Amino acid sequence: MFVKPLTSFDRTLETAADKSITHRAIMFNSFARGSATVTNALLGGDCRSTIACMTALGAKIEVNGSMVKVTGTPIFRNAALDAGNSGTTTRLLTGLLAGMNVTASIDGDDSLKTRPMRRVTEPLAMMGANVSTTDGKAPLYIKPSKLRGIDYRLPVASAQVKSALLLAGLHADGETRLTEPILSRNHTELMLKAMGADIELNGRETVIRQSELRPVDVDVPGDISSAAFLLGAATVVNGGRVTVKRVGLNPTRTGIIEVLKSMGADIEITKADGIEPCGDVTLVQTPLKPFDITEEIVPSLIDEIPLLAAVACYAEGTSTISGAAELKVKESDRIQTTVDALKALGADIEGTDDGMIIHGKGGLKGGGRVDAHGDHRIAMSAAVAALGSKEGAEIDGAETAAISYPGFWEIIC
Ligand code: S3P
């Protein structure tokens, strides 16, 4: 796919629906007693993997446009599951299935098979789960067992690990108490609460006790991680302006807004509330200052770092990212793939052990060829970098954007 430089970007639009919330709305309603409707669901590759897995386990799922009707079953069938490219599906399901009296396996594509799974299976084993990995990776094998609650400090701030353990905690004797080093996205906690779970949220600490869920209708807001590319496009194209409607603004996800504001971006937000806060976000282009991203804020913008590195090339001065070693175990090694992609466009950027250093020169020459390495966020970050450049860029593997943002290329090309 060739991305041409844009001479203007002035849009008011909705963005792709939230991937994290869509996964959870479909997965959690699949074992609640009764039916629920998920509206404005994201039907990208990853959430389709969740739908396929929950259907294989016995839930009834009907898709009609972006509306998904889920009829849950408290008893799952044994199944061999394919989670495709989706780490969220794999990790959350491992925790859920561990206490559901089923025999199941979970496998996926080549990228998924490289992702670390012991971070989930080790604490699950402490709960009494019978779950094994293949050298710490997928395929995973789950057998029936009786779970007990644990008091566990997560070594990394990970919503996927936390969610897996909370789902196991729903089926465990006693209470499960989890403490994170830094609060990661809390969509699981908010949705389980709305479904009647016995759960207490207290900053970095969450406590859950055995509970049955009642179904809940969910109207999914836009994904701030997808809106990020539209905000990014407005920062790099001369005279750029964008309003993204009804974006999820859960404070555990809005690190990107804070960083863009710290760069001097002109951002206005009008807020509305539901199970999750959301609102309209407008960004008007201004000259940008560099940023320093450190550990405390990383969980709230973990998926936006490749895009922010691209935006940093359009600032004047040196931006730094540290405390983000988790990037190495995402859909690709995102320190390496971000550095390679932006270098191909002429950026002065280097990778470090836990982040990047970007010497911004107020723009990019472009003209290179980028390999997305099968990673949706790398393909889209490189595209944004190319939009403001002098010569544009060829992006190999552009189709991977459909994992989280079907329709992305129609918006920017
Ligand atoms: C996600 C959590 C994050 C994020 C991923 C989606 C989720 O992963 O990077 O894209 O929906 O829980 P980690 O929990 O592994 O940091």
Side-chain angles (χ1 to χ4, degrees):
M1 161 86 57
F2 185 73
V3 178
K4 281 196 299 241
L6 287 184
T7 47
S8 71
F9 187 75
D10 185 348
R11 306 284 298 268
T12 296
L13 72 177
E14 291 213 357
T15 189
D18 192 284
K19 181 158 82 72
S20 292
I21 297 175
T22 302
H23 276 304
R24 287 157 171 82
I26 292 169
M27 190 182 290
F28 302 175
N29 276 306
S30 288
F31 66 98
R33 250 175 234 278
S35 296
T37 304
V38 185
T39 42
N40 191 40
L42 176 72
L43 293 169
D46 272 8
C47 296
R48 286 190 185 274
S49 294
T50 290
I51 291 176
C53 290
M54 302 325 289
T55 304
L57 288 162
K60 191 169 160 226
I61 301 185
E62 297 155 76
V63 179
N64 192 348
S66 63
M67 194 171 93
V68 180
K69 185 171 174 212
V70 185
T71 305
T73 166
I75 299 172
F76 282 162
R77 295 197 278 260
N78 296 339
L81 303 170
D82 180 359
N85 190 247
S86 177
T88 308
T89 310
T90 307
R91 295 200 177 105
L92 269 60
L93 260 184
T94 303
L96 173 61
L97 296 180
M100 283 202 65
N101 202 27
V102 283
T103 299
S105 60
I106 311 178
D107 205 355
D109 69 9
D110 288 346
S111 154
L112 190 88
K113 284 193 179 82
T114 67
R115 308 201 48 196
M117 294 298 159
R118 287 205 176 102
R119 51 180 60 197
V120 174
T121 58
E122 284 177 357
L124 283 175
M126 293 176 203
M127 297 178 80
N130 188 343
V131 178
S132 57
T133 67
T134 307
D135 278 334
K137 315 262 162 73
L140 297 158
Y141 301 95
I142 300 136
K143 293 198 177 129
S145 60
K146 206 162 165 33
L147 303 185
R148 54 186 176 270
I150 50 168
D151 185 342
Y152 184 67
R153 287 184 170 269
L154 278 74
V156 284
S158 163
Q160 294 182 357
V161 175
K162 174 175 61 175
S163 302
L165 301 178
L166 289 173
L167 292 170
L170 276 180
H171 300 112
D173 283 337
E175 71 175 30
T176 298
R177 182 179 295 267
L178 305 175
T179 312
E180 289 191 276
I182 303 167
L183 181 64
S184 65
R185 65 189 71 188
N186 63 0
H187 304 303
T188 294
E189 296 90 306
L190 296 179
M191 200 173 295
L192 290 179
K193 203 171 175 55
M195 297 177 85
D198 183 355
I199 183 168
E200 288 165 33
L201 281 61
N202 195 3
R204 292 183 294 113
E205 189 180 271
T206 313
V207 180
I208 195 160
R209 293 174 204 90
Q210 207 169 87
S211 355
E212 271 205 13
L213 301 185
R214 54 172 181 263
V216 69
D217 293 338
V218 179
D219 188 22
V220 182
D223 198 324
I224 190 156
S225 298
S226 300
F229 300 109
L230 306 174
L231 299 174
T235 62
V236 302
V237 175
N238 272 335
R241 193 210 66 89
V242 71
T243 296
V244 195
K245 310 281 280 180
R246 223 176 75 81
V247 187
L249 292 172
N250 179 317
T252 61
R253 299 281 303 277
T254 48
I256 176 148
I257 305 267
E258 285 172 48
V259 171
L260 287 173
K261 279 187 174 164
S262 80
M263 298 179 83
D266 177 359
I267 295 183
E268 231 179 77
I269 294 177
T270 43
K271 265 197 181 172
D273 272 331
I275 295 181
E276 293 268 352
C278 70
D280 300 348
V281 180
T282 298
L283 183 146
V284 180
Q285 200 208 29
T286 46
L288 295 176
K289 294 183 285 211
F291 59 68
D292 289 305
I293 293 177
T294 48
E295 188 183 30
E296 322 76 68
I297 197 174
V298 164
S300 68
L301 46 68
I302 183 74
D303 293 337
E304 289 69 75
I305 291 179
L307 180 268
L308 283 168
V311 171
C313 299
Y314 285 80
E316 294 279 358
T318 299
S319 292
T320 64
I321 300 164
S322 61
E326 275 295 296
L327 290 174
K328 293 185 194 162
V329 291
K330 293 295 177 189
E331 286 84 330
S332 65
D333 173 347
R334 285 187 179 157
I335 295 184
Q336 194 60 53
T337 50
T338 301
V339 167
D340 290 349
L342 295 175
K343 269 195 174 152
L345 297 180
D348 183 354
I349 176 169
E350 57 200 276
T352 65
D353 276 352
D354 65 348
M356 292 166 230
I357 301 170
I358 308 116
H359 303 287
K361 306 274 192 301
L364 284 174
K365 178 171 164 293
R369 190 173 196 113
V370 172
D371 183 348
H373 287 282
D375 187 331
H376 51 133
R377 301 207 196 275
I378 297 299
M380 292 187 277
S381 301
V384 169
L387 286 180
S389 72
K390 293 198 174 67
E391 298 173 18
E394 184 68 38
I395 299 182
D396 292 333
E399 66 286 348
T400 185
I403 285 287
S404 60
Y405 203 153
F408 174 77
W409 299 108
E410 288 73 32
I411 292 169
I412 62 135
C413 283

